Amino acid sequence: MAMMFWYGNGLNGWGWFAMSAGMVLFWGLLITVAVMAFRALDRAAERPSASRPAAPAEQILSERLARGEIDEEEYRRRLTALRSAEP
């Protein structure tokens, strides 16, 4: 049992340093992988799905009017421009 340790009954200074640096690198790598996985999953949830069709321009315009982003005059002007641009 006494032959198990080459440097007496423990590690020397370099051994402690290597073990500490290895532990810091291990936890840093583990945390980095976890953060990157979380960000990738979060970005995938933000992307609009391809199966959901885009809302028509008139519907978006009506929603903006309902939210108060534009006034009625601006709504009518843009609606006229949209309808005149259709083929």
Side-chain angles (χ1 to χ4, degrees):
M1 183 102 164
M3 301 289 277
M4 211 164 140
F5 298 107
W6 292 339
Y7 296 107
N9 205 10
L11 297 173
N12 65 5
W14 288 110
W16 282 105
F17 174 75
M19 186 173 59
S20 299
M23 218 32 161
V24 168
L25 289 173
F26 169 76
W27 284 109
L29 179 66
L30 189 67
I31 291 170
T32 301
V33 167
V35 167
M36 291 176 69
F38 177 76
R39 285 185 178 176
L41 292 173
D42 191 41
R43 265 189 253 124
E46 287 179 4
R47 287 188 206 123
S49 66
S51 62
R52 189 178 74 190
E58 290 183 19
Q59 182 181 353
I60 295 171
L61 196 57
S62 298
E63 290 171 2
R64 289 187 65 196
L65 177 65
R67 285 192 301 259
E69 294 177 8
I70 57 175
D71 60 358
E72 198 170 334
E73 180 183 334
E74 179 75 11
Y75 171 78
R76 292 188 190 287
R77 186 172 61 79
R78 289 182 182 218
L79 188 61
T80 304
L82 279 174
R83 289 183 176 164
S84 67
E86 290 180 7

